[in-house]
């Protein structure tokens, strides 16, 4: 199961941190590392800090965008050390292990780690189903990225060991449909946003927080592929109805003139 859990590092500044992350992953049995626009990579400092985990570096994916890193993932969790303007489902590392390891048996899970100095942006966190927070002490809460990855990977490994002893499905039963992946969810959100603009429910010049709140609502449900298709089917029906109403209204105005 751990081979289906991807550690994603976004815009990492120091290559030594990448090597240290690879070592932390290998310690706990994870192997899927993805780097989104690292500042310096490949680099000798990364190899030196990997200290025997160079196979993780050799097989790491390097991509230009977060979308590429997440396209085939069905559950996305972002690490966050601070509160956000819009509350999002927040879990601790142990809860993450309990959620992610059963799903990772059949799905791909991504755990995102942001920049060393400022973490993940709000937009990046909005792509996540959950946010995970490491409950360090308030007076000294800053963790080195490799230390944060070590904590998360440890809890994932412990959850797998427990899961091996007593397997329990995510929703109390074996699910009949594969979960929707990130790319499918993004297409749904694009379709939803455009439909809301078309029916004049969403003002693109003053969107406020409507789309982030709708993202939070739908991602909290962790929808499967059929559920996403049903939602998009509803949107298509709304689109057709709106087009018919617009055509009829235009015709009526033409008759009056």
């Amino acid at each position: 199961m751990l081979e289906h859990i991807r550690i994603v590092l976004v815009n990492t500044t120091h290559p030594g941190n990448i090597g240290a992350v690879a070592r932390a992953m290998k310690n706990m049995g994870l192997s899927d590392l993805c780097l989104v626009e690292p500042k310096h990579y490949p680099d000798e400092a990364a190899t030196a800090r990997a200290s025997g985990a160079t196979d993780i570096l050799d097989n790491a994916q390097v991509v230009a965008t977060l979308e590429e890193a997440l396209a085939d993932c069905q559950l996305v969790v972002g690490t966050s050390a601070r509160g956000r303007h819009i509350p999002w489902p927040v879990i601790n590392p142990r809860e993450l292990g309990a959620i992610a390891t059963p799903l990772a048996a059949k799905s791909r899970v991504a755990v995102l780690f942001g920049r060393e100095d400022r973490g993940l942006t709000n937009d990046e966190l909005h792509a996540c189903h959950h946010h995970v927070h490491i409950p360090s002490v308030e007076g000294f809460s800053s963790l080195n990225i490799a230390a944060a990855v070590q904590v998360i990977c440890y809890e994932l490994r412990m959850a797998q060991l427990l899961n091996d002893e007593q397997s329990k499905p995510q929703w109390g039963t074996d699910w009949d449909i594969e979960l929707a992946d990130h790319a499918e969810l993004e297409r749904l959100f694009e379709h939803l946003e455009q439909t809301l603009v078309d029916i004049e429910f969403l003002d693109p010049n003053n969107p406020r927080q409507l789309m982030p709140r709708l993202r939070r609502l739908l991602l909290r449900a962790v929808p499967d592929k059929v559920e996403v298709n049903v939602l998009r089917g509803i949107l298509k029906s709304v689109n057709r109805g709106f087009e018919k109403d617009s055509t009829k209204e235009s015709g009526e105005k033409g008759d009056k003139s």
Side-chain angles (χ1 to χ4, degrees):
M1 290 181 287
L2 294 180
E3 65 270 17
H4 290 159
I5 297 179
R6 177 175 298 159
I7 300 298
V8 180
L9 307 184
V10 180
N11 295 151
T12 310
T13 300
H14 303 292
N17 286 334
I18 297 174
V21 164
R23 183 177 182 179
M25 291 172 61
K26 190 163 185 176
N27 285 153
M28 297 296 129
L30 282 80
S31 58
D32 189 350
L33 175 62
C34 185
L35 309 174
V36 180
E37 279 196 313
K39 299 296 183 183
H40 304 286
Y41 189 82
D43 192 278
E44 291 181 0
T47 303
R49 289 286 299 279
S51 187
T54 53
D55 56 320
I56 305 292
L57 297 180
D58 292 341
N59 293 311
Q61 299 179 65
V62 181
V63 298
T65 67
L66 186 59
E67 292 296 320
E68 292 177 73
L70 303 182
D72 62 341
C73 297
Q74 288 76 46
L75 183 74
V76 181
V77 180
T79 54
S80 179
R82 53 194 168 94
R84 302 287 163 169
H85 182 65
I86 296 181
W88 215 264
V90 178
I91 55 179
N92 63 44
R94 192 150 299 174
E95 291 169 327
L96 169 62
I99 292 169
T101 50
L103 289 177
K106 296 181 179 179
S107 306
R108 187 165 297 281
V109 176
V111 185
L112 314 186
F113 294 83
R115 302 146 190 87
E116 291 96 329
D117 58 343
R118 55 192 174 91
L120 296 166
T121 67
N122 285 334
D123 284 344
E124 289 162 351
L125 284 166
H126 287 166
C128 302
H129 296 87
H130 300 287
H131 297 168
V132 60
H133 173 69
I134 298 173
S136 51
V137 296
E138 292 184 7
F140 195 63
S141 60
S142 179
L143 282 173
N144 173 273
I145 188 171
V149 171
Q150 188 76 78
V151 170
I152 297 297
C153 291
Y154 169 79
E155 291 295 346
L156 290 169
R157 177 163 177 77
M158 290 302 296
Q160 182 190 343
L161 294 175
L162 179 62
N163 203 56
D164 288 344
E165 296 175 6
Q166 185 178 1
S167 180
K168 184 177 181 180
Q170 171 70 8
W171 287 285
T173 184
D174 291 327
W175 210 245
D176 57 339
I177 304 294
E178 292 181 5
L179 297 182
D181 58 35
H182 176 78
E184 291 168 325
L185 288 170
E186 287 304 308
R187 288 193 291 271
L188 168 64
F189 290 130
E190 290 172 7
H191 192 171
L192 175 59
E193 183 172 13
Q194 185 58 55
T195 299
L196 294 177
V197 170
D198 290 344
I199 65 174
E200 299 181 355
F201 187 86
L202 171 61
D203 180 357
N205 297 316
N206 186 28
R208 302 176 70 85
Q209 296 293 337
L210 179 61
M211 287 310 300
R213 289 185 181 278
L214 289 174
R215 276 180 167 270
R216 180 179 65 177
L217 170 65
L218 293 171
L219 289 174
R220 198 165 65 227
V222 193
D224 63 37
K225 292 178 181 293
V226 169
E227 290 165 341
V228 167
N229 287 337
V230 167
L231 290 173
R232 293 202 65 186
I234 293 171
L235 293 174
K236 288 178 182 178
S237 181
V238 171
N239 296 147
R240 287 194 296 269
F242 181 75
E243 290 171 0
K244 287 180 181 178
D245 288 344
S246 298
T247 302
K248 182 179 179 182
E249 184 177 344
S250 298
E252 290 175 348
K253 289 181 180 179
D255 291 341
K256 291 179 181 179
S257 62

